[in-house]
Amino acid sequence: MTSLARQRLLDDHRAVNQVLEHLLAALHNKDITASHSNLDLLWARLAVHIRAEHLHLFPAVLNRLSGSADEVAGPDLSEAQSVVENLRTDHDFFMHELARAVGILRELPRPIDSTEGAARLDSVLDIVLETAKRLESHNRIEENQIYRWISTILTKPEQAELATRIDAELKNRPPRFSEEAWANRL
């Protein structure tokens, strides 16, 4: 049975991927305004997702493994620490690269009026494609490891508490996004 926390994080992966698909379409169509809007949304959605994992998921898993004298059906503490460290490295990469892409898009004239501008837009596409590739691999690791550990190492009350905290964090979006824009701006 899937825990509520795991399901919420999986659903958020799907939502982030939808925004990514719309961003890629806008970039391929060379629509700077739509690209900027979708990139801003992607960056924010991913940041909120990462924040939920850093503040709630990772500590819940690591604390349970480090404080558990009894045997749990899951990884040992050193394996979990290694996985979390690699996921955090990916998170840093995603935020840095998307920030770089936002910076490039902000400086582009609308419409693009030079080959230099077109090349800079192509560089944004390259950044997003590299981020998408790494995100796909990253999400597989999360979904097949740490998200599954929720139901194997946490008690039912701990799982419920984690789900509540994750859900609250995922709803804590940047002020520039209305609830409707956050959910439906695709």
Side-chain angles (χ1 to χ4, degrees), residues 64-82:
R64 181 69 168 108
L65 291 172
S66 65
S68 180
D70 51 311
E71 195 67 28
V72 293
D76 63 25
L77 179 59
S78 65
E79 178 187 353
Q81 288 171 327
S82 177

Side-chain angles (χ1 to χ4, degrees), residues 120-174:
R120 290 174 62 212
L121 184 59
D122 287 342
S123 74
V124 171
L125 177 59
D126 291 342
I127 292 167
V128 172
L129 287 171
E130 181 61 30
T131 300
K133 181 180 174 185
R134 189 160 171 180
L135 185 61
E136 183 179 340
S137 170
H138 172 89
N139 286 351
R140 262 194 316 275
I141 292 167
E142 285 184 338
E143 292 169 7
N144 293 317
Q145 291 184 5
I146 198 162
Y147 290 4
R148 290 186 187 273
W149 299 342
I150 294 169
S151 60
T152 61
I153 67 172
L154 299 178
T155 65
K156 294 290 183 197
E158 289 170 334
Q159 290 177 45
E161 181 184 338
L162 179 60
T164 299
R165 289 183 295 159
I166 285 173
D167 196 48
E169 204 64 60
L170 293 176
K171 290 178 181 175
N172 186 12
R173 65 190 169 274

Side-chain angles (χ1 to χ4, degrees), residues 59-93:
V61 168
L62 295 175
N63 289 340
R64 181 69 168 108
L65 291 172
S66 65
S68 180
D70 51 311
E71 195 67 28
V72 293
D76 63 25
L77 179 59
S78 65
E79 178 187 353
Q81 288 171 327
S82 177
V83 168
V84 167
E85 183 180 321
N86 290 333
L87 294 174
R88 287 180 187 270
T89 298
D90 283 347
H91 291 166
D92 291 344
F93 172 83

Side-chain angles (χ1 to χ4, degrees), residues 46-64:
L46 196 53
V48 167
H49 183 91
I50 288 168
R51 185 178 63 206
E53 290 176 347
H54 283 231
L55 293 178
H56 305 294
L57 175 63
F58 297 166
V61 168
L62 295 175
N63 289 340
R64 181 69 168 108

